[in-house]
Amino acid sequence: MADQEVIKHVKKTHKILTSKEHSLWHKVGEFILEIIIIVFALSLSIWLHEWSEHRHQQKEVREFMSDLTIEINKMLGEKQLEISELSTIDQKIKNITNTDQITKVITGKYVFYNINSSFEGFKASGKIAFIEDSHLRNEILRYYQDLLPAVNAAKENLEESKKKILYEINSHPEGFTGTKLYRYLYSDYIMSVNGYTLMTTFSIKKGKEIVNQIQKLEK
Protein backbone atom coordinates (compact mmCIF):
# COMPACT_ATOMS: atom_id res chain seq x y z
CA MET A 1 0.00 0.00 0.00
CA ALA A 2 2.77 2.44 0.95
CA ASP A 3 4.66 1.54 -2.24
CA GLN A 4 1.63 2.46 -4.31
CA GLU A 5 1.39 5.80 -2.51
CA VAL A 6 5.06 6.51 -3.27
CA ILE A 7 4.57 5.71 -6.95
CA LYS A 8 1.50 7.95 -7.07
CA HIS A 9 3.37 10.91 -5.54
CA VAL A 10 6.41 10.37 -7.76
CA LYS A 11 4.12 10.63 -10.81
CA LYS A 12 2.52 13.71 -9.30
CA THR A 13 5.96 15.27 -8.75
CA HIS A 14 6.87 14.66 -12.38
CA LYS A 15 3.59 16.19 -13.49
CA ILE A 16 4.27 19.31 -11.38
CA LEU A 17 7.76 19.77 -12.81
CA THR A 18 6.59 19.40 -16.40
CA SER A 19 3.47 21.54 -16.00
CA LYS A 20 3.35 24.89 -17.78
CA GLU A 21 0.30 26.12 -15.89
CA HIS A 22 2.11 27.27 -12.72
CA SER A 23 4.97 29.59 -11.88
CA LEU A 24 8.43 28.35 -10.94
CA TRP A 25 7.98 29.14 -7.25
CA HIS A 26 4.66 27.35 -7.18
CA LYS A 27 6.27 24.35 -8.80
CA VAL A 28 9.13 24.40 -6.27
CA GLY A 29 6.69 24.57 -3.35
CA GLU A 30 4.58 21.71 -4.71
CA PHE A 31 7.72 19.71 -5.48
CA ILE A 32 9.07 20.09 -1.93
CA LEU A 33 5.70 19.10 -0.47
CA GLU A 34 5.54 15.98 -2.61
CA ILE A 35 9.14 15.03 -1.64
CA ILE A 36 8.22 15.35 2.04
CA ILE A 37 5.21 13.09 1.46
CA ILE A 38 7.33 10.54 -0.41
CA VAL A 39 9.99 10.51 2.35
CA PHE A 40 7.29 10.10 5.01
CA ALA A 41 5.62 7.28 3.07
CA LEU A 42 8.92 5.44 2.60
CA SER A 43 9.83 5.90 6.28
CA LEU A 44 6.43 4.61 7.32
CA SER A 45 6.73 1.62 5.00
CA ILE A 46 10.17 0.74 6.39
CA TRP A 47 8.98 1.16 9.98
CA LEU A 48 5.92 -1.04 9.42
CA HIS A 49 8.06 -3.71 7.80
CA GLU A 50 10.59 -3.65 10.66
CA TRP A 51 7.79 -3.69 13.25
CA SER A 52 6.15 -6.68 11.58
CA GLU A 53 9.49 -8.47 11.30
CA HIS A 54 10.29 -7.75 14.95
CA ARG A 55 6.91 -9.14 16.05
CA HIS A 56 7.55 -12.29 14.05
CA GLN A 57 11.05 -12.67 15.52
CA GLN A 58 9.80 -12.25 19.08
CA LYS A 59 7.03 -14.79 18.45
CA GLU A 60 9.75 -17.26 17.44
CA VAL A 61 11.73 -16.36 20.57
CA ARG A 62 8.68 -17.00 22.80
CA GLU A 63 8.13 -20.38 21.16
CA PHE A 64 11.81 -21.22 21.60
CA MET A 65 11.74 -20.17 25.26
CA SER A 66 8.70 -22.35 25.86
CA ASP A 67 10.38 -25.36 24.24
CA LEU A 68 13.61 -24.62 26.11
CA THR A 69 11.81 -24.49 29.47
CA ILE A 70 10.24 -27.89 28.81
CA GLU A 71 13.59 -29.29 27.66
CA ILE A 72 15.56 -28.00 30.65
CA ASN A 73 12.91 -29.06 33.18
CA LYS A 74 12.86 -32.58 31.72
CA MET A 75 16.65 -32.72 31.88
CA LEU A 76 16.68 -31.40 35.46
CA GLY A 77 14.22 -34.06 36.57
CA GLU A 78 16.38 -36.80 35.09
CA LYS A 79 19.59 -35.32 36.51
CA GLN A 80 18.12 -35.02 40.00
CA LEU A 81 17.13 -38.69 39.88
CA GLU A 82 20.61 -39.53 38.67
CA ILE A 83 22.29 -37.56 41.50
CA SER A 84 20.04 -39.24 44.03
CA GLU A 85 21.09 -42.65 42.75
CA LEU A 86 24.81 -41.84 42.59
CA SER A 87 24.92 -40.18 46.02
CA THR A 88 24.57 -43.52 47.83
CA ILE A 89 26.87 -45.61 45.68
CA ASP A 90 29.99 -45.23 47.84
CA GLN A 91 28.21 -46.45 50.98
CA LYS A 92 26.56 -49.32 49.12
CA ILE A 93 29.76 -50.87 47.75
CA LYS A 94 32.34 -49.78 50.35
CA ASN A 95 32.16 -52.99 52.38
CA ILE A 96 30.95 -55.38 49.68
CA THR A 97 33.43 -58.09 48.68
CA ASN A 98 31.11 -60.06 46.41
CA THR A 99 32.01 -58.97 42.89
CA ASP A 100 28.58 -59.88 41.53
CA GLN A 101 26.95 -57.49 43.99
CA ILE A 102 29.44 -54.73 43.15
CA THR A 103 28.75 -55.21 39.44
CA LYS A 104 25.02 -55.05 40.08
CA VAL A 105 25.29 -51.80 42.07
CA ILE A 106 27.56 -50.08 39.54
CA THR A 107 25.58 -51.08 36.45
CA GLY A 108 22.27 -50.15 38.09
CA LYS A 109 23.05 -46.44 38.21
CA TYR A 110 21.44 -43.91 35.91
CA VAL A 111 23.60 -41.81 33.62
CA PHE A 112 21.45 -39.61 31.39
CA TYR A 113 22.54 -37.80 28.27
CA ASN A 114 21.97 -34.07 28.11
CA ILE A 115 19.13 -32.87 25.88
CA ASN A 116 19.87 -29.95 23.57
CA SER A 117 17.65 -30.37 20.52
CA SER A 118 15.67 -27.13 21.03
CA PHE A 119 18.82 -25.08 21.56
CA GLU A 120 20.72 -26.62 18.64
CA GLY A 121 17.79 -26.12 16.29
CA PHE A 122 17.36 -22.46 17.24
CA LYS A 123 21.09 -21.79 17.10
CA ALA A 124 21.46 -23.50 13.72
CA SER A 125 18.72 -21.24 12.33
CA GLY A 126 20.80 -18.19 13.29
CA LYS A 127 18.04 -16.81 15.49
CA ILE A 128 19.82 -16.73 18.86
CA ALA A 129 20.44 -13.01 18.31
CA PHE A 130 16.64 -12.50 18.35
CA ILE A 131 16.75 -12.91 22.15
CA GLU A 132 16.83 -9.27 23.18
CA ASP A 133 17.78 -9.87 26.82
CA SER A 134 21.56 -10.09 26.39
CA HIS A 135 22.13 -11.49 29.90
CA LEU A 136 19.68 -14.34 29.36
CA ARG A 137 21.04 -14.97 25.86
CA ASN A 138 24.60 -15.24 27.20
CA GLU A 139 23.48 -17.48 30.07
CA ILE A 140 21.77 -19.87 27.64
CA LEU A 141 24.84 -19.94 25.39
CA ARG A 142 27.20 -20.63 28.29
CA TYR A 143 24.87 -23.29 29.66
CA TYR A 144 24.64 -25.24 26.41
CA GLN A 145 28.06 -24.54 24.90
CA ASP A 146 30.28 -24.60 28.00
CA LEU A 147 28.59 -26.17 31.03
CA LEU A 148 26.75 -29.11 29.48
CA PRO A 149 29.81 -30.18 27.42
CA ALA A 150 31.82 -30.13 30.68
CA VAL A 151 29.14 -32.30 32.29
CA ASN A 152 29.33 -34.67 29.31
CA ALA A 153 33.12 -34.87 29.68
CA ALA A 154 32.73 -35.75 33.37
CA LYS A 155 30.13 -38.34 32.36
CA GLU A 156 32.50 -39.92 29.85
CA ASN A 157 35.20 -40.04 32.53
CA LEU A 158 32.76 -41.78 34.89
CA GLU A 159 31.74 -44.28 32.24
CA GLU A 160 35.39 -45.04 31.47
CA SER A 161 36.15 -45.60 35.17
CA LYS A 162 33.13 -47.91 35.43
CA LYS A 163 34.26 -49.91 32.39
CA LYS A 164 37.73 -50.38 33.87
CA ILE A 165 36.51 -51.64 37.22
CA LEU A 166 33.91 -53.94 35.63
CA TYR A 167 36.49 -55.35 33.22
CA GLU A 168 38.90 -56.16 36.04
CA ILE A 169 36.14 -57.60 38.23
CA ASN A 170 35.04 -59.88 35.40
CA SER A 171 38.63 -60.89 34.64
CA HIS A 172 39.64 -61.90 38.16
CA PRO A 173 38.48 -64.35 40.81
CA GLU A 174 36.47 -63.38 43.89
CA GLY A 175 39.60 -62.35 45.83
CA PHE A 176 40.21 -59.44 43.44
CA THR A 177 38.29 -57.01 45.70
CA GLY A 178 41.10 -57.13 48.25
CA THR A 179 43.92 -56.29 45.84
CA LYS A 180 45.71 -52.96 45.41
CA LEU A 181 44.52 -52.77 41.81
CA TYR A 182 40.91 -53.02 42.90
CA ARG A 183 41.37 -50.40 45.61
CA TYR A 184 42.97 -48.09 43.04
CA LEU A 185 40.20 -48.65 40.49
CA TYR A 186 37.54 -48.31 43.17
CA SER A 187 39.07 -45.03 44.36
CA ASP A 188 39.27 -43.76 40.77
CA TYR A 189 35.64 -44.72 40.17
CA ILE A 190 34.41 -42.94 43.31
CA MET A 191 36.41 -39.83 42.38
CA SER A 192 34.75 -39.92 38.95
CA VAL A 193 31.34 -40.28 40.60
CA ASN A 194 32.03 -37.31 42.85
CA GLY A 195 33.37 -35.20 39.97
CA TYR A 196 30.37 -35.98 37.82
CA THR A 197 27.97 -35.37 40.72
CA LEU A 198 29.55 -31.98 41.40
CA MET A 199 29.34 -30.89 37.76
CA THR A 200 25.79 -32.17 37.39
CA THR A 201 24.65 -30.48 40.61
CA PHE A 202 26.05 -27.19 39.30
CA SER A 203 24.32 -27.70 35.94
CA ILE A 204 21.02 -28.31 37.76
CA LYS A 205 21.46 -25.03 39.65
CA LYS A 206 22.23 -23.08 36.47
CA GLY A 207 19.37 -24.75 34.61
CA LYS A 208 16.92 -23.67 37.31
CA GLU A 209 18.26 -20.11 37.15
CA ILE A 210 17.70 -19.98 33.38
CA VAL A 211 14.15 -21.32 33.72
CA ASN A 212 13.43 -18.69 36.39
CA GLN A 213 14.75 -15.93 34.12
CA ILE A 214 12.57 -17.14 31.26
CA GLN A 215 9.49 -17.25 33.49
CA LYS A 216 10.13 -13.69 34.69
CA LEU A 217 10.21 -12.49 31.07
CA GLU A 218 6.88 -14.18 30.37
CA LYS A 219 5.10 -12.33 33.20
Side-chain angles (χ1 to χ4, degrees):
M1 185 70 180
D3 291 342
Q4 292 176 351
E5 286 295 315
V6 169
I7 293 171
K8 183 177 75 174
H9 285 283
V10 167
K11 289 180 178 179
K12 188 174 180 182
T13 301
H14 180 265
K15 185 177 179 181
I16 290 169
L17 291 175
T18 57
S19 173
K20 296 180 179 179
E21 298 178 4
H22 303 288
S23 67
L24 176 62
W25 289 112
H26 180 81
K27 289 180 181 181
V28 170
E30 289 290 321
F31 177 77
I32 291 173
L33 178 62
E34 291 301 322
I35 290 299
I36 291 172
I37 293 172
I38 290 170
V39 170
F40 175 77
L42 284 173
S43 299
L44 179 62
S45 176
I46 292 170
W47 181 84
L48 287 173
H49 174 75
E50 290 177 347
W51 177 75
S52 176
E53 185 67 20
H54 181 262
R55 284 191 63 190
H56 178 69
Q57 290 174 356
Q58 293 312 301
K59 179 177 181 293
E60 290 184 308
V61 168
R62 288 193 297 274
E63 292 172 352
F64 166 66
M65 292 297 188
S66 177
D67 292 342
L68 198 70
T69 299
I70 294 171
E71 183 174 277
I72 291 177
N73 279 331
K74 183 176 186 297
M75 188 160 52
L76 294 183
E78 293 176 343
K79 290 297 182 185
Q80 286 169 334
L81 174 61
E82 183 181 35
I83 292 300
S84 177
E85 289 288 326
L86 289 172
S87 64
T88 60
I89 195 167
D90 188 21
Q91 291 299 320
K92 285 183 177 181
I93 66 175
K94 182 178 288 184
N95 299 315
I96 295 176
T97 56
N98 184 302
T99 53
D100 289 338
Q101 290 180 332
I102 294 172
T103 299
K104 184 177 179 180
V105 171
I106 291 177
T107 56
K109 301 298 121 183
Y110 295 99
V111 179
F112 292 104
Y113 286 88
N114 294 315
I115 308 167
N116 62 357
S117 56
S118 293
F119 169 76
E120 288 298 335
F122 202 66
K123 185 184 75 169
S125 68
K127 299 175 182 177
I128 286 293
F130 293 172
I131 303 174
E132 296 181 329
D133 188 320
S134 59
H135 176 72
L136 177 57
R137 181 174 66 246
N138 290 333
E139 286 292 291
I140 291 171
L141 287 170
R142 280 193 289 266
Y143 182 70
Y144 277 95
Q145 295 184 332
D146 297 331
L147 182 55
L148 292 189
V151 173
N152 285 338
K155 177 195 68 181
E156 294 299 328
N157 187 53
L158 171 59
E159 289 296 290
E160 189 62 29
S161 296
K162 180 170 74 174
K163 288 177 183 178
K164 287 179 181 178
I165 197 170
L166 291 176
Y167 174 79
E168 295 297 340
I169 284 175
N170 292 329
S171 302
H172 292 78
E174 290 289 326
F176 172 66
T177 53
T179 65
K180 289 183 179 180
L181 177 59
Y182 171 74
R183 287 196 296 271
Y184 167 75
L185 292 174
Y186 168 77
S187 176
D188 181 67
Y189 176 70
I190 294 303
M191 285 181 63
S192 297
V193 168
N194 292 337
Y196 179 67
T197 299
L198 182 64
M199 288 298 300
T200 302
T201 301
F202 183 64
S203 73
I204 290 172
K205 177 176 177 292
K206 295 303 293 183
K208 287 180 178 178
E209 290 176 1
I210 289 172
V211 168
N212 288 337
Q213 289 181 57
I214 292 173
Q215 290 173 341
K216 285 180 181 179
L217 285 178
E218 293 175 344
K219 291 180 180 179

